[in-house]
Amino acid sequence: MPETAFHHTSHRVDIAAPAGVVYGLVADAVRWPLFLTPTVHVEALDLEGADQRLRIWALACDDVTSWVTRRTLDPAARRIDFRQEVPGPSEPGVTGSWVVEELPEGSSRLTLRSALPASATRTTPASWLERAEHDDLLALLADLKHLAERWATLDEHIVAVEETLRVDGPAELAYDFLYRIENWPAQLPRLTRLDLVEETPGIQQVRMDLLADDGRTHTARGVRVCFPHGGRIVYKLVEPPASTVAQAGEWSVEPDASGVTLRGRHQAVLRCPDGPSDTTPDTETRTESGTAPDTDPRTASGGGAGPEVGRALGRDSAVVLGLARRYAQSAVRVITPKP
Protein backbone atom coordinates (compact mmCIF):
# COMPACT_ATOMS: atom_id res chain seq x y z
CA MET A 1 0.00 0.00 0.00
CA PRO A 2 1.28 3.51 -0.79
CA GLU A 3 2.47 5.56 2.10
CA THR A 4 0.43 8.58 3.15
CA ALA A 5 1.91 12.06 2.82
CA PHE A 6 1.61 14.20 5.92
CA HIS A 7 1.80 17.93 6.44
CA HIS A 8 3.86 18.51 9.57
CA THR A 9 3.76 21.67 11.65
CA SER A 10 5.64 22.77 14.73
CA HIS A 11 4.76 25.80 16.83
CA ARG A 12 6.55 26.84 20.00
CA VAL A 13 6.55 29.71 22.44
CA ASP A 14 8.66 30.57 25.49
CA ILE A 15 6.64 31.37 28.61
CA ALA A 16 7.71 33.13 31.80
CA ALA A 17 5.96 30.59 34.01
CA PRO A 18 6.83 27.23 35.62
CA ALA A 19 6.59 24.19 33.36
CA GLY A 20 4.09 22.54 35.70
CA VAL A 21 1.72 25.50 35.37
CA VAL A 22 1.88 25.42 31.58
CA TYR A 23 1.33 21.67 31.47
CA GLY A 24 -1.66 21.99 33.79
CA LEU A 25 -3.35 24.52 31.51
CA VAL A 26 -2.90 22.28 28.48
CA ALA A 27 -4.05 19.17 30.36
CA ASP A 28 -7.25 20.82 31.67
CA ALA A 29 -9.04 20.71 28.31
CA VAL A 30 -12.54 21.04 29.82
CA ARG A 31 -11.70 24.66 30.73
CA TRP A 32 -10.33 25.52 27.28
CA PRO A 33 -13.55 27.27 26.15
CA LEU A 34 -13.08 29.88 28.87
CA PHE A 35 -9.39 30.40 28.18
CA LEU A 36 -8.59 29.60 24.53
CA THR A 37 -10.01 31.77 21.77
CA PRO A 38 -10.83 29.15 19.07
CA THR A 39 -12.37 26.57 21.45
CA VAL A 40 -16.16 26.72 21.85
CA HIS A 41 -16.91 23.62 23.94
CA VAL A 42 -15.20 20.47 25.19
CA GLU A 43 -17.33 17.48 26.17
CA ALA A 44 -15.59 14.85 28.29
CA LEU A 45 -16.45 11.40 26.92
CA ASP A 46 -13.88 9.52 28.98
CA LEU A 47 -11.48 11.01 31.53
CA GLU A 48 -10.38 7.85 33.31
CA GLY A 49 -6.66 7.58 33.96
CA ALA A 50 -4.01 8.84 31.57
CA ASP A 51 -6.05 8.03 28.46
CA GLN A 52 -8.81 10.50 27.64
CA ARG A 53 -11.46 10.86 24.97
CA LEU A 54 -12.91 14.30 24.27
CA ARG A 55 -15.31 15.85 21.77
CA ILE A 56 -14.21 19.34 20.86
CA TRP A 57 -16.11 22.12 19.10
CA ALA A 58 -14.01 25.00 17.75
CA LEU A 59 -14.05 27.91 15.36
CA ALA A 60 -11.91 27.60 12.26
CA CYS A 61 -12.13 30.36 9.65
CA ASP A 62 -15.46 31.43 11.22
CA ASP A 63 -16.93 27.93 10.77
CA VAL A 64 -17.83 25.74 13.75
CA THR A 65 -16.43 22.23 13.44
CA SER A 66 -16.15 19.34 15.88
CA TRP A 67 -14.18 16.16 16.26
CA VAL A 68 -13.31 13.49 18.81
CA THR A 69 -9.78 13.44 20.18
CA ARG A 70 -8.01 10.69 22.10
CA ARG A 71 -5.26 11.97 24.41
CA THR A 72 -2.57 10.28 26.45
CA LEU A 73 -1.26 12.32 29.36
CA ASP A 74 2.27 11.90 30.70
CA PRO A 75 2.67 14.36 33.61
CA ALA A 76 6.19 13.16 34.43
CA ALA A 77 7.44 14.00 30.93
CA ARG A 78 5.02 16.95 30.65
CA ARG A 79 3.82 15.58 27.34
CA ILE A 80 0.35 15.04 25.91
CA ASP A 81 -0.07 12.98 22.73
CA PHE A 82 -3.31 13.28 20.78
CA ARG A 83 -5.03 11.63 17.85
CA GLN A 84 -8.20 12.84 16.18
CA GLU A 85 -10.85 10.30 15.28
CA VAL A 86 -12.48 10.74 11.87
CA PRO A 87 -15.34 8.87 10.14
CA GLY A 88 -14.17 5.61 8.61
CA PRO A 89 -11.23 3.42 9.68
CA SER A 90 -9.35 4.10 6.42
CA GLU A 91 -9.18 7.87 6.97
CA PRO A 92 -6.14 8.96 8.99
CA GLY A 93 -6.69 11.87 11.32
CA VAL A 94 -4.54 14.59 12.79
CA THR A 95 -1.97 13.35 15.28
CA GLY A 96 0.43 15.31 17.38
CA SER A 97 1.76 16.26 20.78
CA TRP A 98 2.02 19.06 23.32
CA VAL A 99 5.42 19.15 25.01
CA VAL A 100 6.46 21.44 27.88
CA GLU A 101 10.18 21.88 28.56
CA GLU A 102 11.62 23.47 31.68
CA LEU A 103 13.94 26.40 31.00
CA PRO A 104 16.29 28.29 33.35
CA GLU A 105 15.01 30.77 35.92
CA GLY A 106 11.58 29.17 36.21
CA SER A 107 10.45 29.70 32.62
CA SER A 108 9.34 27.06 30.12
CA ARG A 109 8.90 26.31 26.43
CA LEU A 110 5.63 24.97 25.00
CA THR A 111 5.77 23.14 21.67
CA LEU A 112 2.76 21.98 19.64
CA ARG A 113 3.60 19.46 16.92
CA SER A 114 1.02 18.00 14.56
CA ALA A 115 0.80 15.86 11.45
CA LEU A 116 -2.13 16.26 9.04
CA PRO A 117 -2.73 13.83 6.15
CA ALA A 118 -2.06 15.79 2.96
CA SER A 119 -5.02 14.04 1.33
CA ALA A 120 -7.53 15.29 3.94
CA THR A 121 -10.50 17.02 2.40
CA ARG A 122 -12.73 19.81 3.63
CA THR A 123 -15.50 17.30 4.33
CA THR A 124 -13.70 15.59 7.21
CA PRO A 125 -12.83 16.84 10.68
CA ALA A 126 -9.19 16.10 9.92
CA SER A 127 -9.16 19.06 7.56
CA TRP A 128 -9.70 21.51 10.42
CA LEU A 129 -5.98 22.10 10.94
CA GLU A 130 -5.42 22.59 7.23
CA ARG A 131 -8.31 25.04 6.88
CA ALA A 132 -7.55 27.02 10.00
CA GLU A 133 -5.53 30.13 9.33
CA HIS A 134 -1.94 30.19 10.46
CA ASP A 135 -2.77 32.97 12.92
CA ASP A 136 -5.35 30.76 14.70
CA LEU A 137 -2.67 28.39 15.97
CA LEU A 138 -0.43 31.26 16.95
CA ALA A 139 -3.37 32.78 18.85
CA LEU A 140 -3.85 29.47 20.67
CA LEU A 141 -0.28 29.53 21.97
CA ALA A 142 -0.53 33.25 22.72
CA ASP A 143 -3.61 32.57 24.88
CA LEU A 144 -1.77 29.89 26.83
CA LYS A 145 1.24 32.15 27.27
CA HIS A 146 -0.94 35.01 28.49
CA LEU A 147 -2.74 32.80 31.00
CA ALA A 148 0.32 30.98 32.29
CA GLU A 149 2.23 34.21 32.93
CA ARG A 150 -0.64 35.39 35.13
CA TRP A 151 -1.29 32.07 36.85
CA ALA A 152 -0.66 33.41 40.37
CA THR A 153 -3.62 35.83 40.13
CA LEU A 154 -5.69 34.11 37.44
CA ASP A 155 -8.48 33.01 39.80
CA GLU A 156 -8.94 36.60 40.94
CA HIS A 157 -10.02 37.54 37.42
CA ILE A 158 -12.60 34.77 36.96
CA VAL A 159 -16.24 35.48 37.81
CA ALA A 160 -18.63 32.52 38.18
CA VAL A 161 -22.41 32.76 38.59
CA GLU A 162 -25.09 30.09 38.91
CA GLU A 163 -28.86 30.72 38.98
CA THR A 164 -31.61 28.13 39.44
CA LEU A 165 -35.39 28.32 39.17
CA ARG A 166 -38.12 25.73 39.71
CA VAL A 167 -40.79 25.32 37.04
CA ASP A 168 -44.21 23.70 37.24
CA GLY A 169 -44.46 22.98 33.56
CA PRO A 170 -43.16 20.77 30.75
CA ALA A 171 -39.40 20.53 30.42
CA GLU A 172 -39.75 20.45 26.63
CA LEU A 173 -41.35 23.90 26.56
CA ALA A 174 -38.77 25.40 28.89
CA TYR A 175 -36.02 24.06 26.66
CA ASP A 176 -37.84 25.33 23.57
CA PHE A 177 -37.68 28.89 24.93
CA LEU A 178 -33.97 28.61 25.69
CA TYR A 179 -33.33 27.15 22.24
CA ARG A 180 -35.25 29.78 20.25
CA ILE A 181 -32.87 32.61 21.02
CA GLU A 182 -34.05 34.54 17.97
CA ASN A 183 -37.24 35.38 19.93
CA TRP A 184 -35.40 36.86 22.93
CA PRO A 185 -35.04 40.49 21.75
CA ALA A 186 -38.81 41.03 21.95
CA GLN A 187 -38.76 40.06 25.65
CA LEU A 188 -35.33 41.14 26.94
CA PRO A 189 -35.03 44.94 27.20
CA ARG A 190 -31.21 44.85 27.25
CA LEU A 191 -31.07 42.79 24.04
CA THR A 192 -31.83 45.24 21.26
CA ARG A 193 -30.82 43.17 18.22
CA LEU A 194 -29.92 39.56 17.47
CA ASP A 195 -28.89 37.87 14.23
CA LEU A 196 -28.94 34.06 14.16
CA VAL A 197 -27.26 31.66 11.75
CA GLU A 198 -27.95 27.93 12.18
CA GLU A 199 -26.72 26.11 9.09
CA THR A 200 -26.25 22.87 11.07
CA PRO A 201 -29.14 21.98 13.41
CA GLY A 202 -28.09 22.63 16.99
CA ILE A 203 -25.04 24.77 16.10
CA GLN A 204 -26.04 28.41 16.45
CA GLN A 205 -23.92 31.45 15.70
CA VAL A 206 -25.35 34.70 17.03
CA ARG A 207 -24.43 38.36 16.86
CA MET A 208 -26.27 40.65 19.25
CA ASP A 209 -26.40 44.21 20.50
CA LEU A 210 -26.53 44.57 24.29
CA LEU A 211 -27.56 47.75 26.11
CA ALA A 212 -25.26 48.44 29.07
CA ASP A 213 -26.26 50.19 32.29
CA ASP A 214 -24.50 53.35 31.14
CA GLY A 215 -26.68 53.52 28.05
CA ARG A 216 -24.00 52.42 25.61
CA THR A 217 -24.57 49.55 23.19
CA HIS A 218 -22.04 46.71 22.96
CA THR A 219 -21.99 44.17 20.15
CA ALA A 220 -21.21 40.57 21.16
CA ARG A 221 -20.75 37.46 19.06
CA GLY A 222 -21.36 33.96 20.35
CA VAL A 223 -21.63 30.29 19.46
CA ARG A 224 -24.16 27.92 21.03
CA VAL A 225 -24.08 24.11 20.90
CA CYS A 226 -27.48 22.58 21.67
CA PHE A 227 -28.13 19.12 23.15
CA PRO A 228 -31.95 18.72 23.07
CA HIS A 229 -31.96 15.13 24.34
CA GLY A 230 -29.86 16.17 27.32
CA GLY A 231 -31.74 19.40 27.94
CA ARG A 232 -28.53 21.44 27.67
CA ILE A 233 -27.28 24.40 25.67
CA VAL A 234 -23.65 25.43 26.06
CA TYR A 235 -22.35 28.71 24.74
CA LYS A 236 -19.27 30.84 24.35
CA LEU A 237 -19.02 34.53 23.53
CA VAL A 238 -16.12 34.64 21.11
CA GLU A 239 -16.46 38.43 21.04
CA PRO A 240 -17.67 39.33 24.56
CA PRO A 241 -18.57 42.75 26.00
CA ALA A 242 -15.68 45.13 26.63
CA SER A 243 -15.38 44.41 30.36
CA THR A 244 -14.34 40.78 29.78
CA VAL A 245 -11.95 38.87 27.54
CA ALA A 246 -14.00 35.68 27.54
CA GLN A 247 -17.38 34.36 28.64
CA ALA A 248 -18.81 30.85 28.52
CA GLY A 249 -21.65 29.00 30.17
CA GLU A 250 -24.53 26.57 30.01
CA TRP A 251 -28.32 26.54 30.18
CA SER A 252 -29.87 23.29 31.41
CA VAL A 253 -33.37 21.91 31.94
CA GLU A 254 -33.42 19.19 34.62
CA PRO A 255 -36.74 17.34 35.16
CA ASP A 256 -37.43 15.32 38.32
CA ALA A 257 -40.41 13.68 40.00
CA SER A 258 -41.90 16.94 41.26
CA GLY A 259 -41.17 19.36 38.46
CA VAL A 260 -38.32 20.93 36.54
CA THR A 261 -35.21 22.86 37.57
CA LEU A 262 -33.85 25.46 35.21
CA ARG A 263 -30.19 26.26 35.68
CA GLY A 264 -27.88 28.88 34.22
CA ARG A 265 -24.12 28.63 34.78
CA HIS A 266 -21.88 31.42 33.55
CA GLN A 267 -18.18 32.22 33.79
CA ALA A 268 -16.30 35.28 32.62
CA VAL A 269 -12.64 36.26 32.57
CA LEU A 270 -12.07 39.90 33.44
CA ARG A 271 -9.52 42.02 31.69
CA CYS A 272 -6.35 41.91 33.74
CA PRO A 273 -3.08 43.87 33.77
CA ASP A 274 -0.39 43.15 31.27
CA GLY A 275 2.26 40.70 32.40
CA PRO A 276 5.64 39.92 30.88
CA SER A 277 6.01 41.08 27.30
CA ASP A 278 4.73 38.73 24.63
CA THR A 279 6.92 37.01 22.08
CA THR A 280 5.80 35.62 18.76
CA PRO A 281 5.65 31.81 18.69
CA ASP A 282 8.13 30.15 16.36
CA THR A 283 6.69 28.06 13.55
CA GLU A 284 8.06 25.40 11.26
CA THR A 285 6.07 23.56 8.55
CA ARG A 286 6.96 20.82 6.13
CA THR A 287 5.26 18.17 3.96
CA GLU A 288 6.84 14.81 3.44
CA SER A 289 5.93 11.26 2.49
CA GLY A 290 5.76 8.83 5.33
CA THR A 291 3.67 7.60 8.19
CA ALA A 292 2.54 9.77 11.07
CA PRO A 293 5.11 10.33 13.81
CA ASP A 294 4.96 8.15 16.88
CA THR A 295 2.55 9.92 19.19
CA ASP A 296 2.46 6.82 22.01
CA PRO A 297 -7.53 39.59 29.50
CA ARG A 298 -5.14 41.81 28.18
CA THR A 299 -4.87 45.56 28.57
CA ALA A 300 -6.65 47.16 31.51
CA SER A 301 -7.04 46.09 35.09
CA GLY A 302 -10.44 44.53 35.72
CA GLY A 303 -10.13 43.70 39.39
CA GLY A 304 -12.72 46.27 40.43
CA ALA A 305 -15.14 45.14 37.73
CA GLY A 306 -15.70 41.67 39.21
CA PRO A 307 -18.77 42.42 41.36
CA GLU A 308 -20.34 44.48 38.60
CA VAL A 309 -19.82 41.76 36.00
CA GLY A 310 -21.11 39.12 38.42
CA ARG A 311 -24.26 41.13 39.14
CA ALA A 312 -24.91 41.63 35.44
CA LEU A 313 -24.45 37.93 34.67
CA GLY A 314 -26.74 36.92 37.52
CA ARG A 315 -29.39 39.48 36.64
CA ASP A 316 -29.51 38.55 32.96
CA SER A 317 -29.51 34.85 33.77
CA ALA A 318 -32.42 35.25 36.21
CA VAL A 319 -34.43 37.19 33.62
CA VAL A 320 -33.93 34.50 30.94
CA LEU A 321 -34.84 31.69 33.35
CA GLY A 322 -37.92 33.60 34.50
CA LEU A 323 -39.10 34.04 30.93
CA ALA A 324 -38.50 30.34 30.22
CA ARG A 325 -40.60 29.44 33.27
CA ARG A 326 -43.41 31.75 32.23
CA TYR A 327 -43.36 30.32 28.71
CA ALA A 328 -43.56 26.74 29.99
CA GLN A 329 -46.19 27.36 32.65
CA SER A 330 -48.44 29.56 30.51
CA ALA A 331 -48.82 26.72 28.04
CA VAL A 332 -50.28 24.44 30.68
CA ARG A 333 -54.09 24.50 30.67
CA VAL A 334 -55.81 23.13 33.74
CA ILE A 335 -59.40 22.14 33.02
CA THR A 336 -61.60 22.17 36.11
CA PRO A 337 -64.60 19.86 35.74
CA LYS A 338 -68.04 21.34 36.41
CA PRO A 339 -69.64 20.27 39.67
Side-chain angles (χ1 to χ4, degrees), residues 29 32 39-43 54-58 65-69:
W32 282 6
T39 310
V40 173
H41 179 60
V42 177
E43 192 85 357
L54 309 168
R55 177 170 286 279
I56 300 174
W57 286 260
T65 187
S66 71
W67 63 91
V68 174
T69 291

Side-chain angles (χ1 to χ4, degrees), residues 9-12 82 97-98 110-114 137 140-141:
T9 65
S10 179
H11 300 74
R12 64 177 180 267
F82 63 85
S97 61
W98 297 88
L110 173 62
T111 302
L112 169 60
R113 299 187 181 95
S114 57
L137 292 178
L140 187 70
L141 292 181

Side-chain angles (χ1 to χ4, degrees), residues 210-225:
L210 303 168
L211 187 63
D213 292 337
D214 60 8
R216 292 183 296 177
T217 298
H218 300 283
T219 299
R221 176 174 166 238
V223 178
R224 307 199 330 156
V225 182

